[in-house]
Amino acid sequence: MTQMIELKVKDQFSNIHEVQALLRDIPENTEANNLSLFQRIEHIVVNGEMIQPSIELLFESRHSDNIYRVVE
């Protein structure tokens, strides 16, 4: 089952935002259960915008100039 959680992200200007994140469903009893929280994030939602992670483990908005990093 996928899970929506609240977490904090920081933008490139060091402003902290509380956002929602959708976590991937990981089947139990697999090696994937050892993934970190960030590795399980399918996307975050900031001001109604769904943002998927980049290879650099950042979330870059297409509607603004903001780039987010998970801090908590």
Side-chain angles (χ1 to χ4, degrees):
M1 173 171 68
T2 56
Q3 180 182 6
M4 189 69 98
I5 64 167
E6 291 187 9
L7 55 85
K8 293 181 182 179
V9 295
K10 187 183 286 190
D11 64 22
Q12 72 271 30
F13 305 111
S14 295
N15 298 317
I16 295 180
H17 307 266
E18 289 190 22
V19 303
Q20 292 188 323
L22 181 69
L23 300 182
R24 289 186 185 88
D25 184 27
I26 305 295
E28 292 198 27
N29 302 323
T30 64
E31 284 188 29
N33 278 333
N34 296 329
L35 294 176
S36 70
L37 174 65
F38 178 82
Q39 293 170 314
R40 293 186 55 213
I41 296 175
E42 189 165 309
H43 68 263
I44 63 172
V45 179
V46 180
N47 298 325
E49 179 185 7
M50 183 179 76
I51 307 173
Q52 295 180 328
S54 68
I55 294 173
E56 295 85 19
L57 307 179
L58 300 171
F59 296 85
E60 186 173 353
S61 172
R62 293 182 183 206
H63 299 292
S64 71
D65 293 332
N66 288 345
I67 299 171
Y68 303 97
R69 178 177 53 87
V70 174
V71 292
E72 194 176 297

